[in-house]
Amino acid sequence: MFSRRKRVLFAGGTAALTLSAVLTAVTGSSAQADVTHHEFQVNCTVNHRTNDDPIVFPNLPGASHEHSFVGNKTTNAATTLTSLTAAGAYATTCLNPDDLSAYWWPTMFRGNQPVIQTWHQTIYYKSGILDYQAVRPFPPGLRYVVGSPTASQEEFRTAPGAVEGWECGDSAHNWDFPASCPAGTQLNIRYQAPSCWNRRDLDSPDHKSHMAYPVNGSCPAGHPNPVPMLEFKIAFPADGNTTDVRLASGRGYTWHYDFFNAWDVPTLAALVSHCINGGLQCNSKGFDLYKPERGQVLGDNYRLPGRP
C-alpha cells in the first residue's frame, strides 16, 4: 500500500514524508526505518467460469453474470466454508496448497468471446493501516464483495479501493476501458479491499457493511479489527482496438470482485505474522528476496514445514 515516498494526509493538512518517518512516528522506533512493505503474494490461475456467485446468489446456480474463479476448484453457487475446506489440500489453482479460499471477478469479453487468462494472477495480502504489526488473519468463513457491478464511472473513480483504474502500456488512470492499447500489452486493474472488520459478522446483507476501509491509517471504531488488505492485480490479454471489450457486468467501471476465506488457519497465521507484521515483501513462500536473512516461512512446496 505504501511506496518509499508517500504523501500522507493528516488533520492539519498534507505533508510529504518518507515511510520511514511515518513508521518511526507510529512505532516510536527508528528500528522500523528500513520497512518499505508489509505484504505477501497469492498467485492463482483461473480454473473455471460460470454464472454463479455463492455470496450474492447462494444456492441459485446461473443467477449471476459470468464470473472467472481462481483458487478453490469446487466453488459454485452452493459453496460454503464447509464445502471449501472439505475439498482438501491441493484442491486449488493457487500456488499455496493450503489456501482453499475462493476468489472471483466478472469475466472479460471481446464481443461475445471471453478473454482467456492463462497465467497466474496476483493477489496481494497487505497492511491497510499504518500500524502493520496489529494486522491479524481473517477469521474462517469471512466473505465480502469489493466494488459494485452497478457503480457509475464517477463512483468507480472516487471509490476508496480505486488505485489507478485500468492500465495498458503507459496509459493509466482510465476509469473506463481505454479505446486502444499498444500491441503486446495487457489491460490491468488493481483494486483494494476494505481491511477493517466489525469483529462480529462473517457476512452482511449487502456483503459489505461488516467491513470498512481505514480512516487516516487506522480502523474506525465500528470496525476495530485490522485484517489483511487484499489488492487484486488482474491482467487481461487484450490489446489493439479495445472498443469491443466489456465485462460480464458491463463497462470497465463495473469492476468488482468477491472473496470467501478458507485458508488453513496455521498457514495464514504464519504468513501474516512473518510477512505483514514483520514488514517484509514476501512471495507465496513467505520469502523476501531483498531481505533473505529474514528467512522463509513456508517450504519450497509452499506448505508449512513438515507437510508433504
Side-chain angles (χ1 to χ4, degrees):
M1 182 175 182
F2 300 103
S3 59
R4 287 186 177 273
R5 196 162 192 87
K6 176 80 173 178
R7 295 190 69 83
V8 182
L9 183 63
F10 294 98
T14 302
L17 296 176
T18 63
L19 178 61
S20 297
V22 173
L23 293 174
T24 299
V26 171
T27 64
S29 170
S30 61
Q32 305 298 323
D34 65 339
V35 174
T36 57
H37 294 78
H38 12 68
E39 67 186 39
F40 63 91
Q41 290 186 23
V42 169
N43 305 103
C44 315
T45 56
V46 174
N47 53 58
H48 64 285
R49 305 190 318 273
T50 184
N51 289 64
D52 289 346
D53 189 323
I55 294 178
V56 179
F57 297 108
N59 299 307
L60 293 173
S64 174
H65 51 254
E66 185 176 297
H67 288 106
S68 296
F69 291 83
V70 305
N72 200 304
K73 300 174 186 177
T74 70
T75 311
N76 58 34
T79 285
T80 63
L81 176 61
T82 298
S83 71
L84 291 173
T85 55
Y90 291 98
T92 177
T93 53
C94 298
L95 292 178
N96 298 87
D98 297 299
D99 180 9
L100 295 175
S101 305
Y103 311 83
W104 62 96
W105 55 79
T107 300
M108 179 181 284
F109 288 86
R110 299 196 78 153
N112 293 320
Q113 297 301 312
V115 176
I116 305 300
Q117 299 162 282
T118 59
W119 57 88
H120 283 98
Q121 303 295 318
T122 301
I123 299 168
Y124 292 100
Y125 281 58
K126 301 184 175 186
S127 174
I129 60 172
L130 287 171
D131 185 9
Y132 60 90
Q133 294 173 328
V135 175
R136 296 296 178 264
F138 295 120
L142 183 71
R143 50 201 180 273
Y144 53 75
V145 178
V146 183
S148 173
T150 63
S152 67
Q153 188 167 347
E154 182 64 9
E155 288 170 335
F156 178 60
R157 184 185 71 82
T158 58
V163 180
E164 294 180 347
W166 291 94
E167 305 171 316
C168 65
D170 294 327
S171 177
H173 297 97
N174 297 294
W175 306 109
D176 195 0
F177 297 127
S180 64
C181 289
T185 63
Q186 303 165 345
L187 268 171
N188 299 286
I189 181 72
R190 290 187 294 149
Y191 203 92
Q192 296 175 344
S195 58
C196 299
W197 176 47
N198 69 5
R199 196 190 291 170
R200 181 180 64 251
D201 303 306
L202 298 178
D203 196 3
S204 51
D206 65 356
H207 314 296
K208 294 184 177 185
S209 297
H210 57 306
M211 302 295 296
Y213 285 92
V215 178
N216 295 327
S218 299
C219 284
H223 296 76
N225 273 39
V227 293
M229 185 271 285
L230 298 188
E231 180 179 305
F232 277 44
K233 184 178 181 181
I234 308 302
F236 298 87
D239 61 356
N241 185 326
T242 55
T243 55
D244 62 343
V245 168
R246 62 180 175 88
L247 296 174
S249 52
R251 297 298 311 170
Y253 44 81
T254 68
W255 173 255
H256 60 285
Y257 58 82
D258 300 54
F259 169 65
F260 199 135
N261 176 45
W263 272 92
D264 171 71
V265 172
T267 303
L268 179 59
L271 286 165
V272 169
S273 176
H274 183 72
C275 300
I276 296 180
N277 302 151
L280 298 177
Q281 184 181 11
C282 292
N283 60 18
S284 292
K285 296 177 182 177
F287 177 73
D288 187 337
L289 178 65
Y290 303 100
K291 297 176 182 176
E293 71 280 0
R294 296 287 298 276
Q296 180 174 304
V297 69
L298 302 182
D300 288 340
N301 61 353
Y302 298 92
R303 307 194 76 190
L304 287 170
R307 295 189 181 183

